[in-house]
């Protein structure tokens, strides 16, 4: 079983959901992002999702795009991302990577899989790579023992949902809402239905992303999902802070609140 | 011929999954796949439906004003050293070839029962065309436009608003067409139930490249027959400008099977491909994935999209439609860069010899033709016949051109 799978099993045995925290690599700087992700782990985030910053992130809302733009403007490279993954993996927390497809293709699909595995990454979440186009990635990730997580959406037909889940390893990423990333005032009505549709066709754990920003919302999602994925709200802690130290403090506070949330599922 | 502009169906490309050789496909969030499948189904059903074809053909004839003329530009020809025939898409309603695509997609929007269209636009021609079709079909219309482009194409912004569209200036990234396309994709992901994303060129995820091509292929079907009627033979070459590449595909498609007819796409070379300030995705880019499709892209070593540059907002895009990438790969069409200065020299030449002010996009095709004519003449040993797709008129570019030539009266 993959390292992510082990972490999900352990959380499930504890009667809680897993908290996945997402942060773009190189935001606000390479060292700053290592510090931020380490702080998240120390404050109770179970799994770190490291996003490779990309110039055209069509699935991301304004917060993640702004953070990615800052990282890119700072000159972050794919090789820096791999270094960050290595540093965060050293904390002991499983590290999953999220990336749009072009940076991987440009790096070289098999070489990327090799280097990601060597850095201690567990696998990839691919928001714009659907299984229909993923033959090369499936082969490379299998060859290097990496997970492949594809997205399912409220708009996925039953046939597509089954096909997509069939190609997932590690966990399934359920997008809670139709729309881009970003914390929302209330959690999605569509998500519980989507999760139950996924459960009908697989035993893989299901992580729910898009729209979660508070401990209470995390608790709500933890009531029906195996994993709660939070990005924009955590990133905002750093974006909105007057100083790096204050940003890290806010990040720790919110991480702890979310960690508490996934431990008190609302069922 | 416009009465049945969609028949016969497209050739062997793309395959059933939307691939043109190694290009094309769908690189999109899963959330959009259902909408793309719905569109693909609606398009295929419509293509096979005689009433749809008749309605589309009727609109092209009675509303858009096609078939557009094929005009022999004698004074321009004399200067160029070739028999130049201009396919006058600039005479269409809204002033460009784009009206063909928007009428087709607006008809499909109605058939799918959707009430809202969104679009991205660079120069504003596609935005104006979309706003026009939306008004005609009573659809809500939102147009995303890079903030830089809203400033250099203020006249078209006003046109869109007059037609009832909401124009949203996009302030992300390079604030040009690429970023407008990202923003439109985001809108579509969030509002896909009632919204059709009316993509303006033969790019994006399947089925857009093939569908747009088939909506604009009347350009080439008409030009081919008109050339036969006028000259008794097929042309030696067909030329067009290439940004995303819809006008070029539209005119190329009818000639792809005519192996003796050479096809030339002229890309925006900006300050020169060697300077890095250009929008020539095939000449100066590499294979990659952008905006839902695999094609040629301007990108750095990490796969980050590079900013493009062109004096023409309509060509200022760091990607190209995947079918052009395939035509390049197979060698069936040739793609060459034209600099801003070369385009503007041809722009001026057409103004002065023919009394026609072309879109700066189309001026790239004219400039490429000027450079091509003597080479082709030498090779063939006679004056060549060249059909140039004059894809749009230059009203929208008068400010840019006036600035370039220093002929604007700045004092009021």
């Amino acid at each position: 079983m993959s390292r992510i799978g082990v972490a999900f099993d352990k959380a499930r045995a504890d009667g809680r959901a897993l908290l996945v925290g997402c942060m773009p690599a190189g935001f606000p700087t390479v060292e700053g992002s290592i510090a931020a992700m380490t702080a998240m782990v120390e404050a109770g985030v179970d799994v770190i999702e490291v996003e490779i910053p990309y110039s055209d992130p069509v699935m991301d809302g304004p917060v993640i795009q702004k953070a990615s733009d800052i990282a890119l403007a700072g000159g972050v490279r794919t090789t820096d991302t791999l270094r960050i993954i290595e540093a965060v993996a050293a904390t002991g927390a499983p590290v999953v990577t999220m990336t749009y497809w072009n940076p991987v293709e440009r790096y070289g699909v098999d070489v990327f899989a090799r280097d990601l595995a060597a850095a201690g990454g567990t696998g990839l979440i691919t928001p714009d790579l659907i299984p229909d186009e993923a033959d090369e990635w499936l082969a490379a990730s299998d060859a290097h023992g990496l997970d492949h997580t594809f997205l399912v959406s409220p708009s996925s037909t039953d046939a597509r949902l089954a096909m997509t889940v069939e190609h997932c390893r590690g966990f399934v990423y359920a997008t809670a809402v139709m729309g881009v990333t970003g914390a929302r005032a209330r959690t999605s009505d569509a998500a519980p239905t989507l999760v139950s549709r996924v459960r009908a066709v697989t035993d893989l754990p299901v992580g729910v992303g898009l729209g979660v920003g508070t401990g209470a919302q995390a608790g709500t999602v933890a009531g029906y999902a195996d994993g709660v994925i939070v990005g924009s709200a955590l990133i905002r802690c750093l974006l909105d802070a007057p100083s790096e130290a204050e940003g890290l403090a806010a990040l720790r506070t919110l991480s702890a609140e979310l960690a508490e949330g996934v431990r008190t599922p609302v069922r | 011929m416009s009465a049945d502009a969609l028949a016969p169906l497209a050739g062997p490309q793309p395959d059933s999954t939307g691939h043109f050789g190694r290009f094309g496909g769908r690189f999109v969030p899963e959330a959009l796949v259902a909408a793309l499948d719905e569109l693909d189904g609606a398009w295929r059903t419509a293509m096979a439906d005689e009433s749809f074809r008749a309605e589309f053909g009727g609109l092209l004839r009675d509303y858009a004003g096609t078939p557009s003329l094929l005009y022999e530009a004698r004074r321009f020809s004399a200067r160029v050293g070739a028999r130049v025939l201009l396919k006058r898409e600039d005479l269409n309603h809204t002033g460009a070839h784009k009206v063909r695509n928007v009428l087709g997609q607006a008809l499909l929007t109605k058939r799918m029962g959707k009430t809202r269209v969104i679009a991205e636009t660079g120069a504003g021609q596609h935005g104006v065309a979309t706003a026009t079709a939306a008004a005609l079909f009573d659809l809500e219309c939102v147009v995303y436009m890079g903030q830089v482009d809203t400033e250099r194409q203020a006249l078209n912004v006003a046109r869109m608003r007059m037609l009832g569209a909401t124009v949203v200036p996009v302030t992300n990234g390079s604030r040009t067409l690429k970023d407008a396309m990202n923003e439109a994709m985001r809108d579509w992901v969030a509002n896909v139930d009632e919204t059709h994303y009316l993509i303006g060129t033969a790019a994006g995820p399947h089925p857009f490249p093939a569908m747009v091509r088939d909506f604009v292929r009347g350009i080439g079907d008409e030009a081919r027959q008109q050339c036969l009627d006028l000259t008794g033979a097929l042309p030696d070459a067909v030329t067009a400008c290439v940004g995303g590449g819809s006008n070029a595909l539209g005119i190329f498609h009818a000639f792809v099977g005519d192996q003796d007819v050479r096809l030339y796409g002229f890309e925006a070379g900006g300050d020169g491909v060697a300077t890095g300030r250009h929008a020539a995705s095939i000449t100066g880019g590499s294979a990659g994935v952008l905006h839902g499709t695999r094609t040629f892209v301007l990108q750095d070593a990490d796969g980050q999209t590079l900013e493009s540059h062109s004096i023409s907002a309509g060509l200022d895009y760091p990607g190209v439609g995947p079918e052009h990438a395939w035509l390049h790969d197979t060698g069936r069409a040739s793609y060459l860069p034209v600099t801003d200065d070369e385009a503007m020299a041809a722009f001026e030449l057409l103004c002065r010899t023919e009394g026609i002010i072309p879109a700066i996009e189309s001026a790239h095709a004219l400039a490429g033709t000027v450079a091509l004519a003597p080479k082709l003449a030498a090779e063939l040993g006679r004056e060549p016949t060249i059909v140039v797709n004059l894809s749009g008129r230059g009203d929208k570019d008068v400010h840019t051109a006036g600035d370039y030539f220093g002929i604007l009266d700045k004092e009021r």
Side-chain angles (χ1 to χ4, degrees), chain A residues 53-61 65 69 72 76-78 101-103 105-106 127-130 133 151-153 155-156 160 164 178-180, chain B residues 17 19 25-31 33-34 37 172-173 178-179 182 185-186 189-190 192 286 288-291 294 299-305:
Chain A
Y54 178 53
S55 51
D56 297 271
V58 293
M59 191 73 197
D60 285 321
Q65 181 167 25
D69 283 349
L72 289 172
V76 72
R77 307 287 310 271
T78 305
W101 187 240
N102 201 46
E105 199 163 280
R106 187 71 173 160
D128 67 343
L129 184 74
I130 52 180
E133 301 281 357
L151 274 53
V152 293
S153 155
S155 67
S156 301
R160 278 203 65 80
T164 302
M178 293 299 289
V180 296
Chain B
T17 55
H19 292 88
R26 281 180 182 170
F27 294 83
V28 292
E30 168 65 21
V33 172
D37 280 342
N172 296 327
K178 155 180 105 69
D179 308 287
N182 289 336
M185 291 276 257
R186 290 195 178 99
V189 174
V192 69
S286 51
V289 169
L290 179 64
H291 291 149
R294 181 180 283 113
Q299 57 182 326
D300 69 12
D302 273 5
Q304 308 291 347
T305 312

Side-chain angles (χ1 to χ4, degrees), chain B residues 195-207:
Chain B
T195 300
H196 173 62
Y197 178 14
L198 210 161
I199 291 183
T201 192
H206 177 64

Side-chain angles (χ1 to χ4, degrees), chain A residues 11-12 15-17 219-226 262-267:
Chain A
R12 206 178 258 176
R16 68 174 181 94
T220 301
V221 175
Y224 59 83
D226 302 297
V262 297
R263 284 170 175 78
T264 48
V266 181
R267 292 204 168 93

